[in-house]
Structures are given as structure tokens and as C-alpha cells.
Amino acid sequence: MIRRFLVAALLSLMAGCGGGSSDNGPTAPTGYTGNTAQAEITPANAKAIAVGAYSGGELATSFGMLKTTNTASAPNQPMLHEVVQTLQDSMASLPPAQKQTAKVASASASVQDTVYGYSGSFSYAFTASDSGAASGTIVYNAYKSDIDSAVVDGTVSFSATYNQSTGAFSRFRMTFTGLTASAVGENVAMSGTVVVSVSGYTSTTTLNMLLTDNIAQRTYGLSNYQMVVTETTNGTSLTLSGTYYDSVNGYVVISTITPITTSYLSYEPDAGVLLCSGSNGTRARITFTGNGNIVEADSGTGFVVVQ
């Protein structure tokens, strides 16, 4: 499986959730009740929009708030990225059990077990066929994978394709409602679908998801929000695309100008450029450097650094 890529890595999500939109733009996830118009980006809101688009919402207050000079300290891992990594790592613990099903005489077999984390646990139960198809559930009970990770609670249903030659799931789809994640100062509820496909050293994850910051009482949406992560010799390379919805400002379309790279030495982004496009040609841009990050806004007259 693709190894842990902390701050700048993880997933993609396809499909499943449908919602409404007030214009001819993309479709917001089911349950999203915030602003569905395309955001007009200004120096005043560019930072909130850009950070939210990268982290999956301002729910990731531990993100470090992206300083505006290249001497800034690098951000912590966004909550969304933490949770997606937990889901992916959980699936990675299932293949050894599935391999046992190939040894039974029946066309399918049921497997269940409990995995204990740094604290808490998750239990899984699934049925696998000798053709490589599997489906089941994972139930998280105050599960914390390591000392720095978020605490996850809730139930996830999944379907998956098992690659017997590699001994791992090559593709899986996870659906959940009311999955919660919490950390110091953060409490987030998530509903939606995550689809992960793994090929060699590349992991593609697509998200259609509704996120609710239970502390700030704000909602965010991700529509065809895709992260493609490739493991390299020195670290990982990320490209991010899709649509991000902010309940107050509206939506922006995300694109990657230069892949975001993360070193195995620091597990923090050290290069790359992410662009958020709003209405009337307005834009916000994040540039990652080895010393920090720069956020800029373009209201139609060119990019300026925002504070």
C-alpha cells in the first residue's frame, strides 16, 4: 500500500452523493445547505478559501493557518487527510484475512476480527468470494491509530476488489453517514463516499463528502475531490483537483499547477502550487516551499500576497 504521506497526501472519491446547485456549476454533495454560488475571491477571503480547499474545510484549525511569508512554519496535517489515511490503513489490515478465503472449499467465506490502535479499536466483518470481490463493514470505537492521529467513531460500509497476486485490495469504495473525528479543539462529522484505487506506487482517491465542523457550526462540501499520490524515492507527489464548497463563500474549482511534494524526512510539503478558481476570473493560490507557504489572491489585476 502507499505509505503514509501525512500533510499533503491521500485520496480521491467518486460518485454517490448528489445535491443541489443554484447555477450551472458542479453539484454539491447531498445535505449541503450552504452557499452554492461560485465564490468571488478577494484578499479578505482568499486565505480561508485556499486553506479550506487544501484541508477539506476550515475544520482543520490545527493546520497551522498557512503563514503568508516563505519563513513560515509548515502546517500540521489536516483533519480530513488524517481520517482518510485512517480509512485507507484500516483496509490495508484486511487482506491477510482475505487471503485465507482462498484456502477454503466454498465459493465465499466470512471473516471478522478486531484491530487495536494506540487507543480504542475497530472491528471488521466481511464476506469474500474466490473471484476477489468482498463487501462488509468496519466499526470504529474511539479508534486512534497513533499518538498524533484523530479519534474516529462510527460505521463504514465497503465493497472491494482483492488482487490475489499482490495480496492487497486494488480498489475499494467506502460509504458512511455520521462518521466523527475529534482532536484537541476539533470535532467533525463526515458523510459521503470514498473510493480508493491503487496501482503500483500510485494511489488515487476521490471524495464526494459533506463535512460539518461541530464546534464552529459550519458545513463544507467536496465534490469529485480527487487526490492522486505517487510514492517517489524521496517522498510523495500529490496532485489535487475537484470542487470545494464553503458554506459562507461558495464554491471554488481546484487545480494543481505544480505537484505538491512531501519529503519522508519532514513529512511536510516542501514544493508545489495549488490554484483555486472563483467567479469573474478571481483566484487564490498557495505556494509550498521548504520554509513555509505563501497565500496569494488575484481579484482580476494580478496576484498579491495576503495577510
Side-chain angles (χ1 to χ4, degrees):
M1 295 293 289
I2 301 298
R3 78 175 62 172
R4 185 178 183 83
F5 31 78
L6 289 177
V7 181
L10 295 183
L11 316 127
S12 29
L13 164 321
M14 281 162 77
C17 297
S21 178
S22 62
D23 53 21
N24 294 321
T27 301
T30 296
Y32 177 79
T33 58
N35 189 345
T36 56
Q38 190 166 16
E40 182 164 359
I41 299 172
T42 68
N45 65 17
K47 188 173 182 179
I49 290 174
V51 171
Y54 174 70
S55 66
E58 290 177 70
L59 49 95
T61 54
S62 65
F63 185 56
M65 296 315 295
L66 283 181
K67 305 300 183 182
T68 56
T69 70
N70 61 5
T71 59
S73 59
N76 296 318
Q77 183 180 22
M79 173 76 85
L80 175 67
H81 297 194
E82 273 283 356
V83 173
V84 170
Q85 184 67 66
T86 294
L87 298 180
Q88 188 168 343
D89 289 348
S90 299
M91 290 298 299
S93 69
L94 272 59
Q98 165 133 12
K99 292 177 73 173
Q100 301 302 314
T101 67
K103 301 178 182 179
V104 302
S106 61
S108 63
S110 296
V111 183
Q112 59 185 22
D113 201 356
T114 298
V115 176
Y116 295 92
Y118 174 81
S119 62
S121 64
F122 69 83
S123 299
Y124 63 81
F126 67 92
T127 300
S129 70
D130 55 8
S131 67
S135 62
T137 59
I138 300 175
V139 180
Y140 295 94
N141 181 21
Y143 177 72
K144 187 177 175 73
S145 60
D146 58 54
I147 191 172
D148 296 317
S149 64
V151 177
V152 179
D153 282 281
T155 300
V156 172
S157 299
F158 70 87
S159 59
T161 301
Y162 181 75
N163 187 326
Q164 301 212 18
S165 64
T166 61
F169 287 111
S170 58
R171 185 180 187 275
F172 56 88
R173 175 189 176 96
M174 308 180 85
T175 303
F176 44 89
T177 300
L179 189 72
T180 63
S182 59
V184 177
E186 300 177 71
N187 187 286
V188 182
M190 303 179 179
S191 299
T193 306
V194 174
V195 175
V196 178
S197 178
V198 179
S199 177
Y201 293 102
T202 298
S203 173
T204 300
T205 305
T206 306
L207 308 170
N208 278 336
M209 188 182 294
L210 176 70
L211 307 100
T212 302
D213 182 339
N214 291 323
I215 295 178
Q217 293 298 303
R218 289 185 62 178
T219 60
Y220 305 88
L222 305 175
S223 179
N224 290 323
Y225 186 93
Q226 186 173 85
M227 303 181 80
V228 179
V229 179
T230 299
E231 184 176 347
T232 66
T233 302
N234 298 318
T236 58
S237 175
L238 163 74
T239 60
L240 180 64
S241 62
T243 305
Y244 164 69
Y245 286 83
D246 178 289
S247 59
V248 172
N249 295 299
Y251 77 84
V252 292
V253 178
I254 306 165
S255 58
T256 303
I257 304 303
T258 305
I260 301 167
T261 58
T262 300
S263 169
Y264 291 142
L265 295 177
S266 65
Y267 290 104
E268 295 171 339
D270 51 26
V273 180
L274 186 68
L275 183 69
C276 300
S277 299
S279 64
N280 301 317
T282 59
R283 301 177 294 174
R285 181 170 67 187
I286 303 178
T287 300
F288 297 91
T289 76
N291 296 320
N293 312 276
I294 302 169
V295 179
E296 301 166 283
D298 178 7
S299 299
T301 58
F303 283 104
V304 295
V305 175
V306 299
Q307 301 300 320

